[in-house]
Amino acid sequence: MQPPSRTVQSLLLLLACGVPVVGAFMVSSGMFTIDEVIYLFSAEAMANRGSLTVDNGYGTFGAEDLRIWFLVDGPNGLAPQYPPGTAVLGAPFYLAFGDRGLIVLNAVAAVGVVLTTWALAYRLYGDRAVALLSVLVLVFGSFFLDYAWGIWPHMTSAFFVLLAFLLALKAIDEARAGHVLALAAGSGLAVGAGFLMRADAVLILPVIAACILLYAGRPILTLTGGVLGLLPGLAFLAVANLQKFGTLNVLSYGRSGGGGGDDIGSHAFAAMIFLVALLGAAAVRIGSSSGRSRVAVAAIGAVAVGAVFAVPGMFEQVGLVGRGYQGLFLDARTLIETRPGTGFADDGTLVFWGVAKKAVVQSLPWLGVLTVLLFRDWRAPFRRPTVVLLFFILFWSLPFAALSWHGGYSSSMRYFLPILPAFAILGAASVVDLAARTRRPGPLLLGGAIVGLFTSGWLFVSGQVSAGLSQQGLNLLAFFVIAGAVAAAAVGARARINAAPIAVTVVGIGLGAAFFGSVVVDVSYSQLVRNRSAEASAAASQVEGPAMFYGSAKLSAFAVTRDDALLGMPGRTTNEVNPALFEDLLQEGYRVFATHRNAVTASERADLGFIPAPLFPNGPFVEVVAAQDAKTAMPRDAVLCPTMCSCCHLAEYNRDPRSLVDRLR
């Protein structure tokens, strides 16, 4: 497949880089989740006070309800549980662009991801067509843009992770000792920077280690340089955690237990698999010098298989990992989720708090093109780029699959954002392989994409199928159709039947469907939620004097920027409302606003009432007052603004368990 002219390549690369940046100044700056409120808290505190801690009235009133979710009571006050990178890097962007600053930071990081993806694809395959198609597929055929225009730091972390991977591969191929050390140190430094953004950046370490053991000309020197580069980031994180949580533990989130994704003990099985894989890589490296690498791999594989059946509980754990991959990669409807606000609609759509959650191939049905890998010659030079990219994908995803952890409230598998470039590169290389047997692959691919886009759009708009089913069911079907078409083309090629043009067209259809689902639908949904959050927060900001907004932090995020405004929530574990806090604040001259459900609970437990708030005629907040001041009666069973905040949305969802897009369409 011949790439277009250098001018066209440059223009397309500029488009892929420009869309995230231009969009960052056009999209809503409202909050999608409470996580983003916490990140905004951290950036504001660092920008205006040079602090890693926040107050939110906790030091004055001491109520647990003011320690909203994901804030930890540390030795120096309330501290965001997340790593401090967003506070440090986000502070200058916050000062320059306000609450839009973190979106701009992510957009800049998105440009870095695009350029690094191009460089990585070109380094692995030496083909400009693969490199260009990789970035186009990444930006316009995946959920990339949804996080380029978000506040949470997935994109910034992904940039550092991908940069570390690229520098490590360069160090592996370098012969000069000084250059090896410098590149490896740069890779370690990038890992440390990623770790400062998100703790899961640590997952790139076993990927890099395996590649070094297999391919590095100077493995000891490369590993040494990587460790040296990693130390500054770890040291900074240790000092930050000492200030925030009173511990030098770089893995600490300021709390213990809970069994969540940040609970180190829950990843014991994944750690064991990493260790076995690294031992296998070392055995291959040692065995290759004597021509016995296959024997070494077979021996380690036999021991691993034996352990699965011999060690108690191991077989069941392998089964759990398999089911996790099925739910996260293939079909989100197989995930087991029992929390309130999740469940199945009548059409079989699995809905997460109004979102039709999608597994990887349901977001990226074009991944069916990877079937071509089953029919490729796995000898060098094809083997190495495929192996390192598959290492990246499998090692990164394993801890999440082991826990079947899907990332909660989001339309896509957000924790897999760092491996999207690997998927895009493998997909682009597979398309180019198919295109080699096609006379004019470009028009076929583009034509298929147009068909996929308009077909998905028609099905969505016409209501022939529900929005959720079109995303979860039809995209999964498209994946299998693409996989079948590609397999048929590969088998046909051996019989001298050229079905590659059909396969390329079908892959294009998958790309068009992915564009509609991940860019049109997912971004539109995110913007719907963000716009509503921004509107509610803007209305709340008009309240004069000291006030507390209770029950939904993302709908009153303006309070982060004002010293006289507080955010309150029921305790995360107990979900209990503390009416004493309401009474104390009223006595101190605060106005208190709460979501309707929480206002009802407070009035039932104390001498309190609630009245309509003119700034919020349709919700989400009512004003809580002393019982004698509640002259305007409100029905206690009212459900205000059911699609804007979780506490109200749960009641509405129980009556109408469809995706939010379906209810609004």
Side-chain angles (χ1 to χ4, degrees):
M1 181 176 179
Q2 291 295 321
S5 67
R6 289 293 182 92
T7 300
V8 174
Q9 290 182 55
S10 298
L11 290 175
L12 290 174
L13 188 59
L14 181 63
L15 175 66
C17 292
V19 167
V21 174
V22 173
F25 294 95
M26 300 174 64
V27 297
S28 172
S29 60
M31 305 292 118
F32 187 75
T33 65
I34 185 175
D35 307 60
E36 295 192 327
V37 178
I38 302 304
Y39 286 117
L40 187 64
F41 248 133
S42 64
E44 187 278 334
M46 179 59 66
N48 293 329
R49 295 182 296 280
S51 175
L52 292 172
T53 61
V54 302
D55 183 55
N56 196 41
Y58 187 73
T60 302
F61 297 99
E64 283 298 303
D65 298 50
L66 296 175
R67 186 172 65 86
I68 62 174
W69 293 6
F70 312 127
L71 290 181
V72 176
D73 186 11
N76 297 300
L78 292 183
Q81 71 171 26
Y82 302 116
T86 299
V88 176
L89 285 184
F93 286 88
Y94 179 84
L95 290 173
F97 303 105
D99 57 4
R100 187 175 296 277
L102 296 186
I103 298 177
V104 177
L105 171 61
N106 277 323
V108 171
V111 173
V113 171
V114 169
L115 296 177
T116 309
T117 299
W118 193 99
L120 182 60
Y122 189 71
R123 180 164 199 86
L124 290 173
Y125 290 94
D127 189 330
R128 288 182 174 273
V130 172
L132 180 62
L133 187 56
S134 295
V135 300
L136 294 178
V137 168
L138 174 67
V139 176
F140 302 110
S142 76
F143 47 85
F144 176 85
L145 288 174
D146 203 13
Y147 297 95
W149 296 329
I151 290 172
W152 42 16
H154 291 283
M155 187 62 71
T156 309
S157 176
F159 166 64
F160 287 122
V161 166
L162 201 63
L163 179 62
F165 190 44
L166 175 63
L167 292 175
L169 293 182
K170 287 186 175 183
I172 286 170
D173 292 332
E174 182 59 56
R176 291 165 292 184
H179 288 200
V180 171
L181 196 61
L183 288 168
S187 177
L189 196 62
V191 174
F195 202 21
L196 289 171
M197 305 304 299
R198 286 189 50 82
D200 58 9
V202 72
L203 295 176
I204 195 61
L205 290 178
V207 180
I208 292 174
C211 292
I212 291 173
L213 290 174
L214 283 175
Y215 301 116
R218 296 171 176 263
I220 302 300
L221 185 62
T222 309
L223 289 171
T224 301
V227 171
L228 292 175
L230 183 61
L231 290 178
L234 294 181
F236 183 90
L237 185 56
V239 173
N241 282 354
L242 182 63
Q243 163 138 15
K244 290 168 62 178
F245 312 133
T247 177
L248 290 171
N249 180 4
V250 296
L251 299 175
S252 176
Y253 265 38
R255 53 189 173 84
S256 59
D262 57 298
D263 180 7
I264 304 304
S266 64
H267 298 301
F269 180 77
M272 184 188 68
I273 298 299
F274 289 156
L275 180 60
V276 171
L278 293 178
L279 288 174
V284 169
R285 180 62 178 264
I286 295 170
S288 62
S289 61
S290 59
R292 298 181 178 178
S293 59
R294 292 185 179 181
V295 175
V297 171
I300 291 178
V303 171
V305 171
V308 168
F309 292 96
V311 178
M314 189 65 69
F315 188 80
E316 290 76 9
Q317 183 63 54
V318 172
L320 290 175
V321 172
R323 286 192 290 274
Y325 272 114
Q326 179 186 13
L328 301 184
F329 272 69
L330 190 63
D331 190 351
R333 293 173 295 184
T334 65
L335 291 169
I336 299 174
E337 179 57 74
T338 59
R339 286 178 291 177
T342 64
F344 288 93
D346 293 338
D347 61 4
T349 301
L350 178 60
V351 180
F352 286 58
W353 304 282
V355 178
K357 185 89 168 183
K358 298 189 289 294
V360 172
V361 302
Q362 289 169 324
S363 291
L364 317 174
W366 51 263
L367 281 176
V369 74
L370 298 189
T371 306
V372 77
L373 299 179
L374 300 176
F375 301 91
R376 289 292 302 269
D377 183 354
W378 277 76
R379 291 173 296 185
F382 164 78
R383 180 173 59 197
R384 177 174 163 179
T386 306
V387 167
V388 298
L389 291 173
L390 289 178
F391 269 158
F392 192 0
I393 292 169
L394 294 175
F395 278 24
W396 186 279
S397 58
L398 176 61
F400 301 104
L403 300 176
S404 291
W405 179 231
H406 46 71
Y409 181 56
S410 60
S411 300
S412 52
M413 295 297 164
R414 60 190 176 97
Y415 289 146
F416 293 161
L417 182 67
I419 57 177
L420 275 186
F423 281 125
I425 295 170
L426 280 174
S430 300
V431 169
V432 170
D433 181 66
L434 283 174
R437 303 192 298 273
T438 305
R439 180 173 297 179
R440 299 184 64 192
L444 291 177
L445 195 65
L446 180 60
I450 293 173
V451 171
L453 171 62
F454 281 97
T455 301
S456 298
W458 177 77
L459 289 171
F460 183 88
V461 174
S462 67
Q464 297 295 316
V465 294
S466 70
L469 186 58
S470 69
Q471 298 291 290
Q472 292 181 345
L474 294 186
N475 279 3
L476 182 60
L477 177 62
F479 165 79
F480 285 117
V481 170
I482 293 168
V486 171
V491 173
R494 297 181 178 181
R496 297 187 178 181
I497 300 174
N498 187 12
I502 297 175
V504 170
T505 304
V506 174
V507 172
I509 292 174
L511 287 169
F515 177 84
F516 184 80
S518 294
V519 178
V520 178
V521 175
D522 286 0
V523 171
S524 296
Y525 174 80
S526 295
Q527 290 304 301
L528 172 66
V529 173
R530 293 183 186 282
N531 279 327
R532 292 187 166 193
S533 296
E535 290 169 2
S537 186
S541 69
Q542 298 178 45
V543 174
E544 297 181 356
M548 178 184 72
F549 294 85
Y550 192 95
S552 184
K554 75 176 186 180
L555 302 182
S556 46
F558 85 95
V560 170
T561 65
R562 268 179 43 181
D563 292 335
D564 64 346
L566 308 178
L567 296 175
M569 294 184 71
R572 186 180 183 187
T573 55
T574 64
N575 201 33
E576 291 292 327
V577 177
N578 177 15
L581 172 63
F582 292 29
E583 294 174 322
D584 290 345
L585 289 170
L586 289 172
Q587 291 177 1
E588 293 294 327
Y590 279 74
R591 296 180 69 182
V592 176
F593 298 85
T595 52
H596 183 263
R597 180 180 176 183
N598 289 311
V600 170
T601 301
S603 68
E604 291 173 345
R605 298 180 180 178
D607 193 22
L608 297 168
F610 51 93
I611 59 177
L615 287 173
F616 313 104
N618 299 311
F621 296 109
V622 296
E623 185 167 6
V624 178
V625 295
Q628 63 270 21
D629 297 328
K631 298 178 181 178
T632 305
M634 290 188 67
R636 289 178 175 266
D637 60 351
V639 177
L640 300 177
C641 194
T643 59
M644 290 183 64
C645 57
S646 59
C647 65
C648 294
H649 174 57
L650 295 185
E652 173 67 10
Y653 173 83
N654 289 333
R655 290 196 294 269
D656 187 6
R658 293 178 295 161
S659 73
L660 176 60
V661 176
D662 280 316
R663 294 211 305 271
L664 296 179
R665 185 169 62 181

